């Protein structure tokens, strides 16, 4: 019976990851390095609460998807402080994450701890961007997949109890990691930018006491921008060091491979 329950839960988790792939088909990060184009965030008419922002419009003047700068993985060791040990023993190798991948060890670590199990076709989709519903799943599993007391009514007008990851999004809300927008929405299919990702990690860590520096450690991040405190906190923990050119790319969506690296570093930092 225990084996059957485990099988059902593994199937459910695999199905959840598989369904995520259809959502991400058109949201893949480019595989080549390109010049950085900062894309300003456009806020919706509804004012965000708990310092959450609307995702930037990533289209060019012709209405085509804009090219978003990709993290320079070739300089990861000095850029993002990759101190991952080379002794990870994988239980499974994703066919799209070879051992030569910059985030191979972090992604393997994530799999070994069931924070992700990838897709039924043995892929991980490392370049896919992450939506807000997906980020809730990552943090829920990072917390150990605790039991959730589900409310009779959804806390968000655009999230139904029948939606996939409803439990995880409710947990995300109950933990105070998000309160959504003032119009009562969660916007589960909005992409998560690096600045918002920093805010989620900061809140997940318990919003520790931290005095943000007067001078920004990144040239593309000013002290008056949203999540400045959270981003500089993330930098102070060495979860991120930014790029070799001194930038952070706050409005760039976070990819699944980069999220694996951030989760790994968070889990191994001294709390």
């Amino acid at each position: 019976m225990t084996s059957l329950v485990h099988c059902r839960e593994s199937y459910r988790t695999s199905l959840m990851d598989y369904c995520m792939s259809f959502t991400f088909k058109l949201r893949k990060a480019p595989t080549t390095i390109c010049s950085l184009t900062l894309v300003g965030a456009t806020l919706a008419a509804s004012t965000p609460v708990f310092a959450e922002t609307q995702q930037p419009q990533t289209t060019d003047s012709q209405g085509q998807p804009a090219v978003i700068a990709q993290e320079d993985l070739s300089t990861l060791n000095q850029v993002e402080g990759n101190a991952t040990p080379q002794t990870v023993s994988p239980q499974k190798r994703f066919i799209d994450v070879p051992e030569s991948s910059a985030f191979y060890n972090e992604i393997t670590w994530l799999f070994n701890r069931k924070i992700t199990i990838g897709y039924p076709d043995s892929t991980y989709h490392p370049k896919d961007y992450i939506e807000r519903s997906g980020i809730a799943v990552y943090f829920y599993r990072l917390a150990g997949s605790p039991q959730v007391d589900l409310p009779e009514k959804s806390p968000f007008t655009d999230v139904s109890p029948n939606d996939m990851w409803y439990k995880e999004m409710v947990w995300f809300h109950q933990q105070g990691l998000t309160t959504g927008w003032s119009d009562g929405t969660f916007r589960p299919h909005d992409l998560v930018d690096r600045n918002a990702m920093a805010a989620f990690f900061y809140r997940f860590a318990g919003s520790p006491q931290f005095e943000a520096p007067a001078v920004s450690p990144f040239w593309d991040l000013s002290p008056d921008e949203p999540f400045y405190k959270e981003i500089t906190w993330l930098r102070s923990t060495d979860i991120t060091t930014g790029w070799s050119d001194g930038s952070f790319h706050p409005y760039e969506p976070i990819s699944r491979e980069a999220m694996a690296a951030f989760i790994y570093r968070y889990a191994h930092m001294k709390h």
Side-chain angles (χ1 to χ4, degrees), residues 88-198:
V88 176
S89 298
Q91 298 176 9
K92 173 181 179 180
R93 179 181 299 173
F94 296 114
I95 60 176
D96 56 348
V97 184
E99 290 188 54
S100 59
S101 299
F103 295 113
Y104 172 78
N105 287 312
E106 289 88 342
I107 293 172
T108 299
W109 179 88
L110 220 66
F111 167 77
N112 288 342
R113 282 147 188 82
K114 303 306 180 186
I115 296 175
T116 183
I117 62 173
Y119 298 87
D121 61 356
S122 296
T123 59
Y124 177 69
H125 299 193
K127 304 296 183 184
D128 283 357
Y129 291 139
I130 302 176
E131 295 180 340
R132 285 169 58 84
S133 58
I135 211 77
V137 175
Y138 273 110
F139 279 105
Y140 174 77
R141 295 175 184 171
L142 178 61
S145 300
Q147 181 159 348
V148 182
D149 293 327
L150 296 177
E152 295 182 4
K153 182 180 179 181
S154 172
F156 304 111
T157 59
D158 57 347
V159 176
S160 165
N162 296 323
D163 289 345
M164 186 167 289
W165 305 311
Y166 173 71
K167 177 180 68 175
E168 290 81 357
M169 287 185 280
V170 167
W171 173 86
F172 208 49
H173 173 260
Q174 290 176 344
Q175 299 304 306
L177 300 179
T178 183
T179 60
W181 273 261
S182 59
D183 62 359
T185 61
F186 179 69
R187 305 178 191 179
H189 300 300
D190 280 2
L191 300 182
V192 178
D193 290 342
R194 286 168 59 89
N195 59 0
M197 175 273 301

Side-chain angles (χ1 to χ4, degrees), residues 9-80:
E9 181 60 24
S10 296
Y11 176 77
R12 174 182 177 274
T13 307
S14 179
L15 179 61
M16 288 163 61
D17 274 346
Y18 178 72
C19 290
M20 185 187 293
S21 68
F22 292 98
T23 305
F24 289 154
K25 286 297 184 182
L26 299 179
R27 295 187 171 92
K28 292 180 181 292
T31 57
T32 57
I33 308 302
C34 60
S35 59
L36 173 64
T37 300
L38 295 180
V39 183
T42 302
L43 297 181
S46 55
T47 303
V49 287
F50 207 0
E52 295 186 25
T53 59
Q54 174 75 6
Q55 303 299 324
Q57 300 298 314
T58 55
T59 57
D60 60 21
S61 58
Q62 283 73 45
Q64 298 299 314
V67 177
I68 301 173
Q70 170 68 3
E71 187 165 357
D72 188 353
L73 305 184
S74 64
T75 57
L76 179 67
N77 287 334
Q78 64 264 36
V79 173
E80 285 287 10

